[in-house]
Amino acid sequence: MKSDSFRARPFDRCVTWSPSLTLVPTNGCFNACSYCSFRRIPGQEQVLDPAAAAAGLAARPEALEVLLLSGEVHPASQERPAWFARLLALSRLALTSGRLPHTNAGPLSLREMAALGRLNPSLGLMLEGFGPAYDALHAHAPSKRLSVRLGQLEQAGRLGIPFTTGLLLGVGERRSERLEALEWLAALQRRWGHIQEVILQPWRPDGEQATPLSPGEQADLLGLISDARAILPPEVHLQTPPNLWPLSALPAALAAGIDDLGGIDTGDVINPAYPQPSSQALSAVLAEAGWQLKPRLCVHRGWWSWLPRPLAGQARVLASRLAAVG
């Protein structure tokens, strides 16, 4: 299957974003990635209270995407069923509040992914990348094994679920390894057609070591964006998080091939040291460079025909709301 929407290149000077609210079902995770400041050791984690989730939704009525960003529970853990039930309950809460959920909760069994796919118009899982640099970072993260990640992308394709994936960049990987990862994603897309977005995410140090991208790092990433646009099929949207770039440098990323800025909440729970720019600030900077910022849903229009009928109907209703507010 292929998406029924193909975008011509070069882009039409329009970049999209999703008004988003992030809910964290739990920050406990059995993986121990060496760079992660989000994770808490199992037993010391915070678990989202249903009342807090409802309050968060009530406080952000303009956020039409509810990103369920969860730490991972081991597949063999006795806690796994309760954790997964919480993901389903939060997905239903998002839908009943008139939003669309998008879940990123690590690798899922076939049964789990199919169940979430009935409630989520899109799911996500970062590939992160190929090569020794990633192997070292993920030495204590079993679910980050490359075979596991590629298997998840294949499984989502077989299930026909619109999917977001991406690469974590600047951790010591070689250019050849970046290109190999992009070629794998391109091959999966040509086979299944389900990859709606590829995120090109620069790794940034957190806390007191937080620093903006240097001119050299920006130039390196701009080259990769151009490579990605040449390698990936044209219907795949290229995304980068705007808070991880200096705002003045974003137009150059768009000119290189970025056409989407992802879900934008009031803060970034993965990179809290990097404040999110407001949509007004983004619009002003991009307009000055000749770009128009347009809101979208968590599932891009080209994949609406893939959705179960209730989700497709919800998408059409919410798209009308977005169109009404411009």
Side-chain angles (χ1 to χ4, degrees):
M1 289 198 301
K2 294 288 185 183
S3 163
D4 57 11
S5 175
F6 292 82
R7 301 193 57 175
R9 310 299 182 190
F11 297 117
D12 55 3
R13 308 293 290 184
C14 176
V15 61
T16 51
W17 71 290
S18 175
S20 178
L21 167 68
T22 303
L23 297 180
V24 179
T26 179
N27 56 8
C29 188
F30 80 98
N31 288 318
C33 303
S34 62
Y35 52 83
C36 183
S37 59
F38 168 83
R39 176 222 188 214
R40 295 295 178 268
I41 298 170
Q44 300 179 10
E45 71 271 24
Q46 296 175 329
V47 175
L48 182 65
D49 179 83
L57 288 165
R60 293 283 313 287
E62 75 283 5
L64 300 188
E65 171 185 350
V66 179
L67 170 61
L68 302 179
L69 184 63
S70 183
E72 300 177 38
V73 173
H74 194 283
S77 170
Q78 293 182 345
E79 303 298 321
R80 180 89 176 185
W83 169 82
F84 187 70
R86 192 177 306 119
L87 295 180
L88 295 177
L90 289 170
S91 297
R92 293 189 186 100
L93 177 64
L95 290 170
T96 56
S97 72
R99 326 295 175 88
L100 289 174
H102 172 92
T103 297
N104 192 326
L108 301 163
S109 70
L110 181 65
R111 179 191 62 81
E112 289 170 340
M113 187 178 283
L116 278 174
R118 289 190 285 272
L119 298 173
N120 286 248
S122 56
L123 297 175
L125 182 74
M126 293 288 280
L127 176 64
E128 301 211 357
F130 285 26
Y134 300 97
D135 294 341
L137 291 173
H138 299 149
H140 302 289
S143 86
K144 294 290 185 78
R145 288 197 304 269
L146 185 59
S147 60
V148 173
R149 299 265 146 169
L150 289 173
Q152 287 287 294
L153 289 169
E154 188 86 22
Q155 178 172 279
R158 292 199 308 274
L159 290 171
I161 296 174
F163 213 76
T164 294
T165 188
L167 306 182
L168 181 66
L169 303 164
V171 297
E173 75 281 3
R174 299 180 179 135
R175 180 172 183 268
S176 61
E177 293 161 347
R178 293 174 167 183
L179 298 183
E180 184 181 5
L182 290 168
E183 293 286 2
W184 269 94
L185 294 178
L188 284 165
Q189 177 64 6
R190 286 191 291 268
R191 181 173 185 184
W192 299 108
H194 66 306
I195 299 177
Q196 60 166 359
E197 300 170 332
V198 170
I199 305 169
L200 301 178
Q201 178 157 334
W203 176 81
R204 305 310 303 148
D206 199 20
E208 295 180 358
Q209 285 73 45
T211 53
L213 287 169
S214 69
E217 289 171 323
Q218 292 173 40
D220 176 57
L221 289 169
L222 291 174
L224 180 67
I225 292 167
S226 296
D227 289 335
R229 189 62 281 155
I231 291 170
L232 293 170
E235 72 272 14
V236 177
H237 296 270
L238 276 183
Q239 182 186 124
T240 197
N243 62 315
L244 302 185
W245 284 77
L247 200 52
S248 62
L250 264 183
L254 306 191
I258 294 295
D259 74 315
D260 187 79
L261 300 179
I264 300 179
D265 197 346
T266 55
D268 183 339
V269 300
I270 299 296
N271 295 284
Y274 299 84
Q276 289 281 19
S278 68
S279 60
Q280 294 82 2
L282 281 171
S283 291
V285 168
L286 298 183
E288 189 173 346
W291 295 87
Q292 181 186 8
L293 186 66
K294 289 184 64 175
R296 61 156 176 92
L297 303 179
C298 63
V299 58
H300 288 269
R301 186 177 293 270
W303 283 264
W304 289 4
S305 64
W306 292 42
L307 302 180
R309 184 173 296 176
L311 292 182
Q314 183 92 311
R316 286 191 290 272
V317 169
L318 293 182
S320 297
R321 282 178 55 185
L322 284 180
V325 298

